[in-house]
Amino acid sequence: MSKNKTLLDIIGPPMIGPSSSHTAGACRIGLLSGKIFGSNLKQVEFTLYNSFAKTGFGHGTELALLAGVMGYYPDNPLIKEAYTAAKNKELEFKFHYKEDTNLHPNSVNILLSDGGEKVEVSGVSLGAGEITVNKINGYKFDLRGDFITLILIYKDAPGVVYRVTNLIQNANVNIASMHCDRNAKGQVASMGIALDNDISSYVMEKLSEIQDMYFIRKLEKIV
């Protein structure tokens, strides 16, 4: 059964640019990717696929992606000045273009670095400004920017999921949805947890104290 159309589906999202999928969606993917990486971004490489690669220049996709990783929202009129802003910030950026029929037409991989640590984010623009970030460092996620979201990458071990969810429950915060993935038993695993409410810095500190917690981020809603 198809979902009911909303006003956003009919008129599109607030945005600067000609296309909700190639401009607003691209900006949101960049925005989420920048927040996933965190601060002190020094280098970023974008690999655009399929329709993004073929028609992105005319729709300002490159500008939108670059503006997004710098923290610009889709309705920011300064998106068109993203190249200049990046150079002023001494942010190095590159674009690559590829065809891969196994991927969604509006797909992009973003490799972010501070000159040492690197984080790779894969995203898809679904249309009408809606997006999903479907991989972080190769692990599956489904992040859409519509909830406060915890991102955890850690060593798979008995009890980790319980400890994480127990901390959230004890903070009286409801879990809206949760996705777990791992490459093999006892190896690296990941969790994406969408929350109905914010969690405190105390909970974040306790999460970071869990043994072999390699990567932890809390993302604010962007839509």
Side-chain angles (χ1 to χ4, degrees), residues 155-163 185:
K155 183 178 180 180
D156 180 49
V160 175
V161 173
Y162 169 77
R163 290 186 65 185
K185 182 179 179 180

Side-chain angles (χ1 to χ4, degrees), residues 167 203-211 213 216:
L167 280 167
V203 175
M204 291 295 294
E205 181 180 350
K206 289 299 179 183
L207 288 170
S208 68
E209 291 174 1
I210 296 175
Q211 186 175 1
M213 184 66 69
I216 179 169

Side-chain angles (χ1 to χ4, degrees), residues 77-103:
L78 296 178
I79 286 175
K80 61 186 177 181
E81 306 295 338
Y83 292 156
T84 300
K87 290 174 182 176
N88 290 339
K89 292 175 179 286
E90 299 184 343
L91 172 61
E92 300 177 17
F93 58 93
K94 294 180 181 178
F95 293 95
H96 309 283
Y97 308 90
K98 293 185 178 180
E99 182 78 16
D100 187 339
T101 56
N102 294 315
L103 298 178

